[in-house]
Amino acid sequence: MSDLTPGPSGPESNPSGPSPESLDQRMARIARHPFRAKFHLRGRERATAELSGPSTLRWHAYDLIAKRLAPAEPYKDGKQTPYRGHPVFVAQHATATCCRTCLQRWHEIPKGRELSRAERAYVVDVICRWIEREVAGARIRPGS
């Protein structure tokens, strides 16, 4: 298995949800992909993340995932996630949770069926963990 391919354990393997360590490992593997590595919270998206707080962003992520990613055949799949405009959108591209093809390739969540409750929670956990790390990293390296 190459560094750019998904790992062996998908979200359904642990019903209580992935540990922060396993999320970090998967996110590190995804972040090594050149396209994914260029995404960071900047400007308005960073300000929104810092001002909204984790619980509000988690609610937004659940709502956006339910509408745009969870259906068996999402409307405009592959083109439904904007690149900018909300921290969740940026996080989706950075974490390969932007469309069903990326979910299948990087997170081993199959296309063609509605996401389960556990899969939705997993996707939201990945997105929120990435945002949390971006906001924490901004405090460490000012001016980014």
Side-chain angles (χ1 to χ4, degrees), residues 5-64:
T5 57
S9 61
E12 295 293 339
S13 62
N14 181 357
S16 65
S19 69
E21 294 80 20
S22 66
L23 275 182
D24 289 343
Q25 289 170 353
R26 185 172 297 253
M27 289 169 50
R29 189 170 40 253
I30 293 168
R32 287 192 292 270
H33 188 271
F35 175 74
R36 307 283 168 205
K38 65 184 175 183
F39 289 97
H40 295 283
L41 290 180
R42 295 183 175 94
R44 188 175 73 178
E45 287 93 2
R46 170 166 286 160
T48 298
E50 291 172 346
L51 294 171
S52 296
S55 61
T56 300
L57 286 174
R58 181 169 290 276
W59 185 86
H60 287 179
Y62 270 110
D63 187 50
L64 291 167

Side-chain angles (χ1 to χ4, degrees), residues 33-117:
H33 188 271
F35 175 74
R36 307 283 168 205
K38 65 184 175 183
F39 289 97
H40 295 283
L41 290 180
R42 295 183 175 94
R44 188 175 73 178
E45 287 93 2
R46 170 166 286 160
T48 298
E50 291 172 346
L51 294 171
S52 296
S55 61
T56 300
L57 286 174
R58 181 169 290 276
W59 185 86
H60 287 179
Y62 270 110
D63 187 50
L64 291 167
I65 294 310
K67 292 175 183 171
R68 295 172 176 255
L69 198 64
E73 295 181 20
Y75 178 69
K76 290 189 174 183
D77 192 27
K79 297 178 179 136
Q80 77 269 40
T81 305
Y83 286 96
R84 297 277 175 240
H86 196 286
V88 170
F89 295 150
V90 178
Q92 283 184 267
H93 289 292
T95 61
T97 57
C98 47
C99 67
R100 294 305 292 268
T101 299
C102 290
L103 275 181
Q104 183 168 309
R105 177 176 179 207
W106 293 98
H107 301 277
E108 300 172 356
I109 298 175
K111 295 165 80 169
R113 63 167 176 73
E114 187 173 341
L115 295 181
S116 70
R117 180 177 291 175

